[in-house]
Amino acid sequence: MTATRREFLRATGAAVGCAMLPRAVAANETPLRAGIHRVQLAPAGYPTTEVWAYDGLIPGPEIRLPQGSRVRRDFVNDLPQATTIHWHGIRIENAMDGVPGMTQAAVPPGGRFLYDFSTPDAGTYWYHTHNRTVEQMARGLAGPLIVTEAEPPEVDAEHVVFLSDWRMTDPADLTDDFANFHDLSHAGRIGNHVTANGLPELTLPVARGDRLRLRLVNAAPSRVFELALQGLDGWIVALDGMPLAQPRPAADLVMAPAQRVDLIVDVVADQGEDAFLLEVFRGQGYALATFPVARTGGQARRGTPPAALPPNPGQKTMRTPDRPPVDLVMDGGAMRGLRSAVWQGRQTDGRSLAQEGQFWALNGIVGLPDDPLLVAERGETLRVPLINRTAFPHGMHLHGHHFREVLADGTHGDWRDTILVAPGETTTIDFLADNPGDWLVHCHMLSHHAAGMGTWIRVLA
Ligand code: C2O
Ligand code: CU
């Protein structure tokens, strides 16, 4: 990577102005507007791209506030379609969860909706559209939501790295085949252009020995990111917003859509070199973020693992489940096509389903069922084996709660709100159903959700 290239990119950054850079929202109560805008998504020299964006920004404006405060934003819809906002990973009041037809009516074009909720847990979260997401998120409607600890860890700098991918034509228009049957039935809409913070190349100057906190968000519609570090040594300190009891070395970094990873890394590359956050894609490394070691004067590398972040109140002690497991069986998709499944209340053969663009079933039902997967008493602990009988991985997300994987030895793994279930595997989760309301459970590969992979649970008040 040459200095010329870097200077060139920096000049581009100046030319498009702060519109391209995520920035903190000054006033908590200013409206948040979804609208159509043009931004420079493709590398310099290419035209701008029409996107759907919050406040004209890709990603949407960073909303950052302290743990235990409130987000209060009047949302204004300037789009030609109805939409909502979902606050992914927040233990939220059900009415603020942003699921159209379940927790609120979709906000029509020209309409508004006041989102008002508290932020009980610190961590890296994000917000995104929850209506026609397979199209609306692929057009750009997503942004970071950062809830800060009262006493954040000591670092030299902190960066949100908001990852996304885009499927573009040459020169730079988003393709509008959001629900083409191949994507729906295979791995989903995978982009041919990857951005970090909306930029083709994110450059973050550092000094050797700096300790950085990186808040990674996978906001891609369907892409699983496999990541690697170069010139950076580090630890995972939190997953999906929830601190690890013990930080662990940052290896095997795989992020399903919607997952977050908080890293604390030390810059070990020498001055004059670059450190990188890389995507490993088909055996090749691609820079998602480049850290030119431009300055001297960084503190000596600390080298020692960081202290654990303070646990969140949401990480409550979990009992053993109160009743037998409730299976969630995933079927369908290419190579394991559905023979038949219930769709819109009727047993329907696979061929007819395919003609309707429906390819996946949960417990034999395609699309949102009338009845919930389970009804829980408030305070019950539930066990749900996620049984993947398909040929594809699925990033399964439960709204309103975090859960823990049940490990082979019967103990609990990390706290998560989204978990990747490998093809042919079963991943069992336990969760404490303590947030009353109706909550979606769905695959966060948005093409799969659109093609059938969604159900819901009810937690009684
Ligand atoms: Cu990220 Cu149903 O949501
Ligand atoms: Cu899926």
Side-chain angles (χ1 to χ4, degrees):
M1 209 144 300
T2 65
T4 334
R5 170 110 171 104
R6 208 174 298 120
E7 276 161 21
F8 176 59
L9 284 162
R10 201 171 296 139
T12 310
V16 296
C18 42
M20 286 302 293
L21 299 172
R23 58 189 157 84
V25 174
N28 198 25
E29 306 213 6
T30 54
L32 186 64
R33 308 186 84 97
I36 302 181
H37 300 271
R38 296 198 73 90
V39 300
Q40 187 72 42
L41 271 190
Y46 286 87
T48 55
T49 301
E50 183 182 287
V51 295
W52 293 12
Y54 296 113
D55 289 358
L57 301 174
I58 297 289
E62 181 181 297
I63 299 175
R64 179 178 285 255
L65 72 172
Q67 181 174 13
S69 47
R70 285 191 92 76
V71 173
R72 204 180 137 79
R73 299 298 296 269
D74 196 18
F75 170 60
V76 183
N77 182 9
D78 292 333
L79 295 168
Q81 284 179 10
T83 189
T84 59
I85 304 181
H86 171 59
W87 311 90
H88 185 115
I90 300 283
R91 280 192 296 136
I92 203 166
E93 298 92 289
N94 191 251
M96 294 291 127
D97 198 41
V99 180
M102 183 170 277
T103 68
Q104 70 170 97
V107 184
R112 1 168 40 103
F113 186 89
L114 180 66
Y115 286 104
D116 184 3
F117 57 90
S118 62
T119 51
D121 300 313
T124 302
Y125 302 95
W126 63 303
Y127 61 97
H128 62 77
T129 169
H130 217 295
N131 197 39
R132 302 175 62 158
T133 49
V134 71
E135 170 179 358
Q136 292 192 358
M137 226 167 84
R139 289 190 186 274
L141 290 171
L145 170 55
I146 307 300
V147 182
T148 55
E149 302 90 4
E151 290 186 19
E154 199 207 315
V155 291
D156 297 301
E158 179 190 310
H159 301 287
V160 175
V161 181
F162 199 82
L163 302 173
S164 201
D165 71 346
W166 313 85
R167 188 179 292 169
M168 289 179 154
T169 57
D170 196 4
D173 291 323
L174 298 179
T175 65
D176 60 5
D177 58 338
F178 297 104
N180 81 58
F181 284 9
H182 186 272
D183 290 344
L184 294 181
S185 59
H186 291 72
R189 179 182 172 97
I190 306 294
N192 52 6
H193 181 56
V194 174
T195 57
N197 297 355
L199 301 168
E201 187 173 348
L202 176 63
T203 305
L204 302 165
V206 292
R208 180 178 161 86
D210 272 356
R211 176 160 277 193
L212 313 173
R213 179 180 192 167
L214 302 179
R215 297 174 178 269
L216 313 182
V217 182
N218 181 357
S222 288
R223 188 191 205 84
V224 177
F225 277 98
E226 198 184 320
L227 305 173
L229 303 175
Q230 192 177 308
L232 302 170
D233 259 12
W235 296 265
I236 300 172
V237 292
L239 294 168
D240 295 351
M242 294 297 177
L244 304 190
Q246 200 62 61
R248 60 170 181 260
D252 304 321
L253 289 171
V254 175
M255 294 179 77
Q259 287 186 324
R260 286 89 62 212
V261 178
D262 277 48
L263 299 175
I264 289 185
V265 299
D266 292 334
V267 178
V268 296
D270 285 322
Q271 195 198 335
E273 289 183 350
D274 290 333
F276 297 99
L277 171 69
L278 299 167
E279 182 190 18
V280 182
F281 187 73
R282 299 191 179 134
Q284 295 274 5
Y286 297 88
L288 295 169
T290 304
F291 302 83
V293 188
R295 289 179 286 114
T296 51
Q299 301 179 38
R301 182 190 165 206
R302 292 168 174 82
T304 48
L309 299 175
N312 272 325
Q315 295 173 294
K316 298 175 189 162
T317 311
M318 242 183 307
R319 295 188 308 271
T320 46
D322 298 303
R323 54 165 139 149
V326 180
D327 289 350
L328 186 67
V329 180
M330 308 169 219
D331 279 308
M335 295 169 284
R336 303 269 208 291
L338 293 172
R339 202 176 270 274
S340 89
V342 174
W343 186 55
Q344 301 187 335
R346 284 197 316 273
Q347 195 71 38
T348 308
D349 68 273
R351 175 193 288 257
S352 309
L353 288 168
Q355 281 164 359
E356 300 289 342
Q358 299 298 311
F359 296 97
W360 309 88
L362 296 176
N363 289 358
I365 302 171
V366 172
L368 204 65
D370 293 337
D371 296 322
L373 170 71
L374 57 89
V375 178
E377 297 290 339
R378 187 173 188 175
E380 239 192 306
T381 302
L382 291 129
R383 175 162 295 181
V384 179
L386 305 168
I387 303 166
N388 183 357
R389 301 201 297 207
T390 79
F392 292 85
H394 300 287
M396 299 302 292
H397 172 45
L398 168 63
H399 280 220
H401 301 76
H402 277 67
F403 51 77
R404 300 183 77 176
E405 183 177 353
V406 182
L407 303 175
D409 63 3
T411 62
H412 281 132
D414 303 320
W415 292 84
R416 302 231 65 147
D417 60 48
T418 306
I419 197 160
L420 194 63
V421 187
E425 301 286 322
T426 295
T427 298
T428 299
I429 60 169
D430 281 357
F431 69 99
L432 177 61
D434 62 348
N435 197 356
D438 292 346
W439 302 101
L440 273 190
V441 181
H442 65 93
C443 181
H444 223 289
M445 277 102 170
L446 302 174
S447 307
H448 294 174
H449 189 195
M453 293 194 84
T455 183
W456 58 291
I457 66 165
R458 173 166 287 167
V459 180
L460 299 173

